[in-house]
Amino acid sequence: DTFSMESNAIWKLYIDFLLREIKADVLLQSMPAECVGSEYEYIKDKSIEEPIRILQEEILNACEISSGKNPSASYAAGLKLMKSAKKNLPLIRRLVGTKDLRYVTIADAAATQILQCGISHYNETDDDDDVDKAMVLQEYACSIAVGSLVVQRCTKNLEILKKKKEEAPI
């Protein structure tokens, strides 16, 4: 008698239940074309929560590791974050687009941290392949960066590495 629920809350509960059973991509694809309103946006928002959370956790882990003085750990953290970004960023991009602030924010955060892992690795190692390893990370960081400041930083660091590689003895 005292319980009341708005219809808006009921369909959100229903969608949340469906999302526990069905992947958001599948649910979005199975929706009729005329469903482009709040239901579609709600499912889209729910579907990007998990990939963003995963990327945020990987970024934090890579940040902690790359702040140390262990070049191989920095490189491994950068590779792990790069692998996670390759898996999760395309899904986010497909659902919300490259102009969406949520995509720009997480892509730039991942690019910045991958770049930092490459810089930390390069600065702390004297290996013969230090430039090549750092370039792998920094080239990927350049490829996912969206914001102009992050793109500029990635490009500048990549140019420095290319110059170092050219100057290196054969």
Side-chain angles (χ1 to χ4, degrees), residues 47-119:
S47 66
I48 65 169
E49 284 178 1
E50 182 71 9
I52 287 176
R53 184 191 59 75
I54 290 169
L55 279 171
Q56 287 172 335
E57 288 174 5
E58 290 292 336
I59 290 167
L60 285 174
N61 289 339
C63 184
E64 290 173 12
I65 292 169
S66 68
S67 63
K69 298 288 184 188
N70 186 340
S72 60
S74 293
Y75 179 68
L79 286 177
K80 186 175 180 189
L81 177 54
M82 186 170 80
K83 181 180 177 184
S84 180
K86 283 182 177 181
K87 179 181 177 188
N88 292 297
L89 281 177
L91 171 66
I92 300 167
R93 181 177 47 240
R94 188 175 73 245
L95 290 173
V96 298
T98 58
K99 304 269 187 242
D100 190 281
L101 184 60
R102 295 168 293 186
Y103 176 78
V104 172
T105 302
I106 198 68
D108 281 350
T112 300
Q113 190 54 53
I114 291 168
L115 178 73
Q116 189 57 51
C117 287
I119 292 170

Side-chain angles (χ1 to χ4, degrees), residues 16-165:
D16 289 344
F17 176 77
L18 283 176
L19 288 173
R20 281 187 246 139
E21 301 296 322
I22 303 169
K23 287 188 173 190
D25 288 3
V26 175
L27 188 58
L28 285 171
Q29 290 171 359
S30 65
M31 290 181 69
E34 61 270 4
C35 290
V36 291
S38 59
E39 294 90 356
Y40 183 82
E41 290 300 317
Y42 182 76
I43 295 169
K44 190 168 66 169
D45 291 344
K46 285 297 220 176
S47 66
I48 65 169
E49 284 178 1
E50 182 71 9
I52 287 176
R53 184 191 59 75
I54 290 169
L55 279 171
Q56 287 172 335
E57 288 174 5
E58 290 292 336
I59 290 167
L60 285 174
N61 289 339
C63 184
E64 290 173 12
I65 292 169
S66 68
S67 63
K69 298 288 184 188
N70 186 340
S72 60
S74 293
Y75 179 68
L79 286 177
K80 186 175 180 189
L81 177 54
M82 186 170 80
K83 181 180 177 184
S84 180
K86 283 182 177 181
K87 179 181 177 188
N88 292 297
L89 281 177
L91 171 66
I92 300 167
R93 181 177 47 240
R94 188 175 73 245
L95 290 173
V96 298
T98 58
K99 304 269 187 242
D100 190 281
L101 184 60
R102 295 168 293 186
Y103 176 78
V104 172
T105 302
I106 198 68
D108 281 350
T112 300
Q113 190 54 53
I114 291 168
L115 178 73
Q116 189 57 51
C117 287
I119 292 170
S120 297
H121 170 75
Y122 178 77
N123 288 342
E124 298 297 328
T125 188
D126 292 327
D127 293 343
D128 293 337
D129 62 348
D130 58 351
V131 173
D132 294 329
K133 285 183 174 181
M135 280 185 77
V136 168
L137 295 175
Q138 293 190 5
E139 284 174 343
Y140 182 72
C142 279
S143 74
I144 63 170
V146 180
S148 61
L149 292 175
V150 178
V151 169
Q152 288 174 358
R153 183 170 180 232
C154 290
T155 304
K156 182 179 177 183
N157 279 287
L158 193 56
E159 288 171 2
I160 291 168
L161 283 180
K162 287 179 180 178
K163 188 175 179 181
K164 292 282 185 189
K165 187 170 181 157

